[in-house]
Structures are given as structure tokens and as C-alpha cells.
Amino acid sequence: MDLTLSPSEQAFRDELRAWLAANDPGEEPEGDEAGFDFRRAWQRRLADAGWAGVAWPEAYGGRGATLVEQAIWNEEIVRAQAPQMANVLGLAMGGPTVIAHGTEEQKHRYLGPILSAEEIWCQGFSEPESGSDLASLKTRATRHGDEWLVTGQKVWTTLAHHAKWCMLVARTDPDAPKHKGLTYFLLDMEQDAVQARPLRQITGEAEFNELFLEEARIPDENIVGGEGNGWMVAITTLMHERATLAFGLQVAVQIALRELVEQAQRTRANGRTAAQDPLVRDRLAQLRIEAEALRLGAYRGLTQIMKTGVPGPEGSLGKWQWSEVNQALTELAMDIAGPRAMIGGDEWSYRFLRARANSIEGGTTEILRNIVAERVLGLPKPR
Ligand SMILES: Cc1cc2nc3c(=O)[nH]c(=O)nc-3n(C[C@H](O)[C@H](O)[C@H](O)COP(=O)(O)OP(=O)(O)OC[C@H]3O[C@@H](n4cnc5c(N)ncnc54)[C@H](O)[C@@H]3O)c2cc1C
């Protein structure tokens, strides 16, 4: 792949940089609710200026940008250290899934409010006994006239406590083979039959939830991709989750590494700085190499998307590598801090604790390794 930007790509990047420089949103306030409101307002501002969902078709509020421009957007937004968007799952996964498999009516109904963060989305895939083996899920949807009644339990449902819509995969045909009996629904979260109970994480935040469904109602028109096609639609969602995030994540790693080097230069022990310790230097150099491999891998994944039009299994490799680099980076930060790390409470301790989830969220490392082995390298499946 040619890594130099064309004149129009450079112009796109410069316009975005200029907009970001002129629209500094300031510091994010403390507290779950205040922080979320701040991220929602930030996303609204980007959407109003045409900087949300840049690669979505213009007919649905996007900018019709190319995939390279989308990648530039992901890089620049992280480079500017802008706040996260509030509707991260709607933007990265829900919207692209509706664009790929939704009806015209669904595209017009759902995509605009995703961009403006007016309607927040969550992802109801995982269940207490179905995480990696998603196709074994038990949440049941049964048809009653022109609507469906859904009963079951989901877990780890990020943002369910803020969400209006849930990308819900449920079993509609218990007699069909497990991958074939699933349907992909858009569930309205604003009904009594849906209860979200926040789960508190090791970081102290409650980012995700248990989700209890007791005869929740979904009209027929909220099926995406047709009855019984839920597995195929869910795969689209998961591929987008892994592929499109790669660009931002690799820049985030580069920034974190730069901050860690500065931290090592500032931290003194035994008459020298941590940056003068040969073992720390070795680990920093190794991280630098891995961060660069991550960057080049993200470009390689992009080349694949440009060839085929859809994210492929290569995204799994980037997500797996990123989780390892990010965990190694935050572990080194803890080692540099030394015994002070035990007290915690600073930004690095937060990042260290949050990074533990990196090798689970969006597919565990073991599962991603299997995907890379079988679908990227073409190795035989284990019996
Ligand atoms: C921060 C965070 C946010 C999340 N947000 C969401 C969300 O919004 N929506 C949602 O639906 N889910 C979400 N998840 C759930 C996530 O996708 C699952 O945790 C993940 O898919 C693993 O499922 P599980 O936890 O049930 O583990 P299990 O599938 O029970 O796995 C347990 C262990 O066994 C290993 N294992 C399982 N099967 C195999 C195999 N075939 N080969 C080798 N090893 C195997 C796994 O790697 C893991 O180490 C989130 C998770 C986290 C941590």
C-alpha cells in the first residue's frame, strides 16, 4: 500500500485538523453522568459540522468520505486527544450494520440520531453462558402477530444504562442448527420489560450492565437482515468492531508510549532516572517496535477493506496485538512507578486496570488467535 496521502486526502486531514484546533471542547468533567453528557455534547458538535460518521453516505447524514479518509479521521481525532464520542457503539457498529443490511426505512429512521448522539446504542450479544460461543445464545424471541416477545438475559452490555436502542441477537427458531436459528433485532430499551443493572468494574466505573428481558416487545419491522439471518448480520457488527477501531487505537498507543517515555525521564530511583535503566530502555524500545508494527498492520487491514469493500478477519490480528501492546505498556508504567503504584489513584493506575479488559472485550485473545490461524493463515481447524 502507498502510505503517502494524495492532495485531496491531505486537504481532508488539514481541514479536520483546523476544525479540531478551533473547537477545543475543554476538560471532561468528573463523574459518570457529567462525563457522558459532555461526550454527548461533543459528538453533537462534530455531527453538526459534518465530522461524525464521515464514511457514511451523504444521503444518511454522512460525508461520503473514502475509507482512507475515515482512517485519517480516526487517527486525527485520537492525535488531537479529543474526548470519546458518546455513541461509540452506534457509530462503530450499529450504523455500519444498518447501512449494510437495513431497509431504506431503517436507514432513514436510525442513522441520523446515531450521528447526533440523540439516540445511544448498545450491543446485546453476550449472555452469561454464551460469550465466545455466541451462536449458543438462549435469549428467546417468539412471534405474536406482527411483533415479537423476547425473554432472556444478556451481560456485559456496555452503555445499556444510557441506550435507546440495543442490537439484540435472539433465538427465533430453537429447532434450527444453532447458527441458523438466530435473528438480529433493534430493541427499544425504553420499556418496563427491559431492565439494565450496572456492573461495577475494577476501575470503579460502571461501563457495562446485566440486561434482563421479560417479554420485551419488538415490532417485526425492527428485524435487520431478515428472520433467521441473525448470525450473518452479527458477524458484520463484529467485523466493524475490530476493524474500524484499529486506526485510532494505534495512535492512542503511540501517544501513551510518548507519555510513558516522559514519565520514565522524570522518575528517579537509586541516583538515576528510570529512562537510564537498561531494562526499562529495552522494554520501551520493544514497545516502540510493536507500536510501529501495529500502525503498519492497520494500513494493511485497510488495504484489505479497500479490495473487498468489507472489513475482513485481519481486524482480529490488530485487535489482539493492540491488547498485548497496551497491557505491556501499562504494566511497564506500573513498574516505573514502583511501590507508589500500589497506592493507585493516578492516570496510569487507571489505565493499567482498564487495560485488563482489553484481551476480553470485542473477542478474547484466544478466540482471535483461532480466527487468525484459520481465516488469515488458512491453518486447519482443531478437531
Ligand atoms: C469491557 C467489556 C465490554 C464488553 N461489552 C460488551 C457489549 O457491549 N456487548 C456484548 O454483547 N458483549 C460485551 N462484552 C463481552 C465480551 O464480548 C465477552 O466477554 C467475550 O466475548 C468473552 O465471553 P465470556 O466473557 O462469556 O467468556 P467465555 O466465552 O466463557 O470464555 C472464558 C475463557 O475461555 C476461553 N475460550 C472460550 N472458548 C474458547 C475456544 N474455543 N478456544 C480457546 N479458548 C476459549 C476464552 O478465551 C476465555 O479466556 C464486553 C466485555 C468487556 C470485558
Side-chain angles (χ1 to χ4, degrees), residues 87 89-90 94 98 110 114 119-122 159 163 165 167 186:
N87 209 2
L89 300 182
V98 170
Y110 295 108
I114 292 180
E119 293 179 344
I120 303 298
W121 282 46
C122 67
L159 290 180
W165 296 107
M167 303 165 248
L186 302 181

Side-chain angles (χ1 to χ4, degrees), residues 89 93 121-134 154-160 166-167 201 207-209 238 241-242 354 356-370 382:
L89 300 182
M93 294 145 74
W121 282 46
C122 67
Q123 177 198 16
F125 283 23
S126 306
E127 297 185 0
E129 287 173 36
S130 302
S132 304
D133 184 14
L134 182 64
K154 298 287 174 180
V155 72
W156 308 92
T157 324
T158 305
L159 290 180
C166 178
M167 303 165 248
Q201 296 156 247
E207 213 180 317
F208 47 54
N209 302 262
L238 293 175
E241 178 174 26
R242 287 167 202 161
R354 181 61 185 80
R356 304 322 301 163
N358 295 163
S359 44
I360 306 173
E361 59 195 323
T364 67
T365 294
E366 290 78 8
I367 295 300
L368 300 179
R369 283 184 175 147
N370 281 346

Side-chain angles (χ1 to χ4, degrees), residues 32-33 36 122 157-163 189 196-198 206-209 211:
D32 283 359
E33 286 302 315
F36 190 78
C122 67
T157 324
T158 305
L159 290 180
H161 52 308
H162 288 294
M189 297 286 285
R197 285 193 209 148
E207 213 180 317
F208 47 54
N209 302 262
L211 195 62

